[in-house]
Amino acid sequence: MARLIAGGLEQELGTPVNVVNRVGAGGVIAHAEIAKAAPDGYTIGLATTELSTYYWGATGDITWKNFTPIALVNFDPSAIHVNATSQWKAAKEVVEAIRAGQPGTYKMSGVPIGGAAHLAFGGLLHSIGIDPNKVTLVPTQGAAPGFQQLAAGGVHIVASSLPEGASMVEAGKVRALATIGNERTAAFPNVPTANEALGANYSAGAWRGIVAPPKLPADVRERLTSSLKKVYESENFTKTMKGRGFGLVWAAGDDFAAYLDKDFTQTGDVMKAIGIRQRD
């Protein structure tokens, strides 16, 4: 996604836009690199959901307040997946079984501890009065190995995004029962929302947005925002994103800041409920 945006910005700004990977520490290093750069508009970055976890998990002091928010461009809600042979045919059956069962009866996978899907599913359970720790997490680095475990019968639930599970659903090995979002995903119109399936007014998953270092001059911010909006609305970007099942969401400037603030607070609450929050 970063490369797709970079290609569009290169055309809009008339200057090369290079994508530089900064791996390690669950994204802390990459986000910190953006935050400490000069606020001249020449260094921007693709911020991700993990940004809301660093402070609460004590893996870093960085929060969204260390950046100048430019615009949110994507949100992919997590979704509830079960084995195609599961007795569960609806999301309500899943959560009621968890509610009635003993802790550890059911297992989920497809995500590391504290990952977006882990927090999304745990937050959903918490929002409807179920202890999220009643479900045992079998952590994996990514959804693919989680889906392999699900298909093999080793776990009961994978809470990844719909695009991540699409191939397994198409192969008839997995069923998607609900998306943890406020609206149905355009690429998967037959999958109901958690509100429709459970009456749960709760939304969580993975988001991505462009941010810049703090104290970015207003005129530079405006230039980047307007250029990014053109990229976001371009046929190439929308067609590619929709073709891959990614959700398109636009929230610029202060609207993006409000979104980040809400996500930061919600993430802290969920991490506390799960028992992995390290700071107050």
Side-chain angles (χ1 to χ4, degrees):
M1 193 177 300
R3 285 169 173 75
L4 184 62
I5 292 171
L9 284 177
E10 190 167 290
Q11 294 181 11
E12 291 297 329
L13 297 172
T15 188
V17 180
N18 301 311
V19 176
V20 180
N21 293 330
R22 287 287 185 268
V23 300
V28 174
I29 294 174
H31 285 89
E33 188 85 2
I34 305 164
K36 69 182 183 181
D40 54 12
Y42 285 96
T43 299
I44 59 176
L46 186 73
T48 62
T49 316
E50 289 74 22
L51 175 59
S52 294
T53 68
Y54 301 143
Y55 176 82
W56 301 121
T59 56
D61 294 328
I62 197 168
T63 75
W64 73 269
K65 295 179 181 179
N66 294 103
F67 301 91
T68 298
I70 303 300
L72 177 71
V73 297
N74 159 256
F75 173 68
D76 294 315
S78 291
I80 302 172
H81 296 85
V82 299
N83 190 298
T85 63
S86 171
Q87 62 180 345
W88 297 327
K89 302 296 191 297
K92 190 171 183 62
E93 297 173 359
V94 177
V95 299
E96 291 308 320
I98 295 171
R99 190 191 300 274
Q102 294 296 315
T105 300
Y106 301 107
K107 299 176 181 179
M108 69 170 287
S109 190
V111 66
I113 295 173
H118 181 206
L119 299 180
F121 189 68
L124 174 66
L125 294 180
H126 182 63
S127 74
I128 56 177
I130 300 175
D131 180 1
N133 290 309
K134 292 191 73 174
V135 179
T136 299
L137 175 66
V138 180
T140 60
Q141 292 300 320
F147 275 114
Q148 291 174 1
Q149 293 191 51
L150 183 63
V155 297
H156 304 89
I157 303 159
V158 165
S160 76
S161 68
L162 291 171
E164 289 175 305
S167 62
M168 295 293 279
V169 172
E170 291 171 0
K173 297 182 178 181
V174 168
R175 284 200 298 265
L177 301 183
T179 177
I180 308 176
N182 292 324
E183 299 178 356
R184 294 197 181 198
T185 303
F188 306 90
N190 295 325
V191 181
T193 67
N195 197 1
E196 293 172 320
L198 305 171
N201 185 22
Y202 185 80
S203 176
W207 57 261
R208 299 169 182 89
I210 299 298
V211 297
K215 300 181 180 180
L216 191 72
D219 60 330
V220 177
R221 181 179 183 178
E222 183 178 349
R223 176 78 185 279
L224 287 171
T225 302
S226 61
S227 296
L228 182 60
K229 183 69 180 295
K230 292 178 181 178
V231 174
Y232 176 85
E233 294 176 340
S234 70
E235 181 179 359
N236 182 50
F237 186 77
T238 56
K239 184 177 181 179
T240 303
M241 291 284 284
K242 290 179 180 179
R244 297 181 181 179
F246 288 114
L248 288 164
V249 179
W250 177 263
D254 292 343
D255 290 336
F256 186 23
Y259 178 91
L260 290 170
D261 191 45
K262 180 180 179 181
D263 188 70
F264 178 69
T265 301
Q266 176 175 288
T267 297
D269 291 343
V270 174
M271 290 178 71
K272 184 176 182 178
I274 294 175
I276 58 175
R277 177 167 154 172
Q278 303 298 314
R279 289 172 170 167
D280 292 325

